[in-house]
Amino acid sequence: MKNTILLNIGAFLLVLILEVLSVWAIKDKFDTDYSFYLHSVNFTIAIMGVIWINHLVLIPYLFDKKRYFLYTILLFGSLFLGAYMKAYAKDGWYGVNKMIFFLIYTTGTGMAAFFVRRNILFRKENDEKESLQKEMELNYLKEQVNPHFLFNSLNSIYSLSRQQSPETPDVVMQLSELMRYQLESAKKDTVLLKEELEFIENYLLLEEKRLSKRCSIEFLIEGNLADLRIAPMLLIPFVENAVKHGAQSTNEQSKIDISASIKNTSIHFSVVNSKPSMVSESKRKGMGLENVKRRLNLLYLDSHVLEIDDKENLYRINLVVDLTSLKY
């Protein structure tokens, strides 16, 4: 409201200044300076009066409610009334016709400025709403990762404890370190890519102990990590998926190959895992992958490529992300 009032005061003063300047050349025809400035004020009031009626009454109560016919009738009625009150007494119908065309010009200019400003405000408001919605959704997705990862890790420890493995206490400590990193990274928009890949490496070491000798795991990192940053916990769901739906779901000998290659500012991340000879298609669809797909679309909408190749004997994902194009 304050901005609207100030804007209209500014518009009134601008029209007044323009009116004063437009008749400055014939200032001598007026008896006194007072009558000259009074004429300019009266003219400005007539112009702004029609504009204010249009902006504050006709547009919100008729135009915005799609009552276009009534809006047109009342708009031209207000133009005629304003012109008649201003010019008829002095110049008759000739003055009224002249004033109507002048008011059409000024009102049209005012309407153009009004709609341009309103469109800018609407766009700004929509951008703020979209930004808020995106932030809320990202926070929700990020919070989902914590229990999902913890659930999978606890399953690993449970499996070791049932085997009465002497490595169980060490695995519990490893898990606590992993959870500490996850909780700290969840508070951040980005983390160092180096830290994220170290987190994945530690997770694989934990799983390797549980899976014993029935799963071969390879993890290769190539390229200069430098100071590249990435959204936290973005890659781990692909790794969890390979473990859960590959080695963990069978007693057969299995294999997981993971590679992270850095090229300029992009990461090329690949996860390939063998598939059990018998696995239902429904087991492939979990919350983790759907979650990470959604986060990728929100954070790296036009700057990532995700390819999933689901074959009979293996499951492969290839992800390319430009790390410099993160959208907050």
Side-chain angles (χ1 to χ4, degrees):
M1 180 61 70
K2 181 180 179 180
N3 290 337
T4 301
I5 293 173
L6 291 175
L7 184 65
N8 280 280
I9 292 175
F12 183 90
L13 293 176
L14 178 61
V15 173
L16 177 60
I17 292 171
L18 292 175
E19 178 58 26
V20 169
L21 294 176
S22 68
V23 293
W24 190 267
I26 58 172
K27 182 181 178 183
D28 294 339
K29 293 185 178 181
F30 292 89
D31 297 333
T32 62
D33 288 346
Y34 173 78
S35 61
F36 167 72
Y37 288 113
L38 182 61
H39 170 270
S40 297
V41 170
N42 288 335
F43 216 86
T44 302
I45 291 174
I47 295 171
M48 293 304 299
V50 174
I51 291 176
W52 283 333
I53 290 173
N54 185 37
H55 289 187
L56 302 178
V57 179
L58 300 183
I59 290 178
Y61 292 102
L62 296 177
F63 185 88
D64 288 345
K65 294 182 179 179
K66 299 182 179 181
R67 301 172 68 181
Y68 300 126
F69 180 76
L70 184 57
Y71 168 79
T72 303
I73 295 297
L74 292 180
L75 175 61
F76 280 98
S78 65
L79 292 173
F80 175 80
L81 181 62
Y84 181 85
M85 294 176 62
K86 179 62 184 172
Y88 183 78
K90 183 178 180 182
D91 299 316
W93 289 111
Y94 172 78
V96 171
N97 291 333
K98 186 177 179 180
M99 188 66 184
I100 284 178
F101 283 109
F102 182 75
L103 288 178
I104 289 175
Y105 169 76
T106 54
T107 304
T109 304
M111 285 180 66
F114 173 83
F115 282 115
V116 168
R117 178 175 178 269
R118 190 166 72 165
N119 184 57
I120 292 173
L121 292 176
F122 280 169
R123 186 176 301 175
K124 180 180 178 182
E125 183 179 347
N126 287 335
D127 288 345
E128 289 176 351
K129 287 180 180 179
E130 289 178 5
S131 177
L132 180 60
Q133 180 64 31
K134 178 180 174 182
E135 182 180 354
M136 291 173 61
E137 187 170 358
L138 282 172
N139 287 336
Y140 172 73
L141 292 172
K142 193 186 293 184
E143 288 169 0
Q144 278 188 317
V145 175
N146 285 319
H148 186 259
F149 175 78
L150 179 60
F151 177 77
N152 288 340
S153 300
L154 287 175
N155 275 343
S156 299
I157 294 176
Y158 174 71
S159 177
L160 286 173
S161 65
R162 289 195 62 183
Q163 300 169 20
Q164 296 183 344
S165 171
E167 293 184 322
T168 302
D170 293 334
V171 172
V172 171
M173 288 301 298
Q174 277 186 289
L175 176 60
S176 68
E177 291 299 318
L178 291 174
M179 290 305 300
R180 180 180 292 109
Y181 169 79
Q182 191 185 41
L183 291 172
E184 290 176 354
S185 66
K187 302 173 185 177
K188 305 173 183 177
D189 292 322
T190 63
V191 294
L192 287 172
L193 178 60
K194 179 182 178 182
E195 295 177 351
E196 190 73 3
L197 294 179
E198 286 176 353
F199 171 77
I200 291 175
E201 185 176 18
N202 291 331
Y203 171 77
L204 289 172
L205 289 173
L206 183 151
E207 289 296 333
E208 204 168 27
K209 291 179 181 179
R210 180 178 64 86
L211 297 172
S212 187
K213 297 180 180 180
R214 61 187 175 88
C215 181
S216 170
I217 300 178
E218 296 287 339
F219 185 29
L220 177 65
I221 301 175
E222 294 181 328
N224 182 15
L225 301 182
D227 295 323
L228 293 174
R229 303 183 72 86
I230 190 172
M233 306 301 293
L234 193 67
L235 304 177
I236 190 64
F238 297 116
V239 180
E240 286 185 286
N241 187 70
V243 173
K244 181 178 180 181
H245 299 296
Q248 188 175 319
S249 60
T250 180
N251 290 321
E252 302 172 9
Q253 191 67 27
S254 58
K255 185 176 182 180
I256 299 174
D257 289 328
I258 303 171
S259 65
S261 176
I262 312 303
K263 298 179 181 179
N264 298 322
T265 59
S266 296
I267 180 172
H268 295 245
F269 190 69
S270 173
V271 180
V272 183
N273 65 273
S274 58
K275 289 172 57 177
S277 54
M278 295 183 64
V279 59
S280 64
E281 190 68 22
S282 61
K283 289 184 179 180
R284 273 289 161 196
K285 303 185 183 300
M287 184 192 71
L289 283 183
E290 293 304 316
N291 186 315
V292 75
K293 287 178 184 179
R294 183 59 183 152
R295 289 185 71 200
L296 281 167
N297 287 330
L298 287 169
L299 293 169
Y300 302 97
L301 177 60
D302 298 317
S303 53
H304 83 277
V305 177
L306 175 61
E307 297 176 346
I308 298 179
D309 188 13
D310 191 355
K311 294 184 177 179
E312 183 178 355
N313 297 319
L314 64 83
Y315 190 81
R316 180 198 310 270
I317 72 99
N318 287 310
L319 173 67
V320 181
V321 182
D322 180 1
L323 299 176
T324 61
S325 60
L326 178 64
K327 297 177 176 62
Y328 296 100

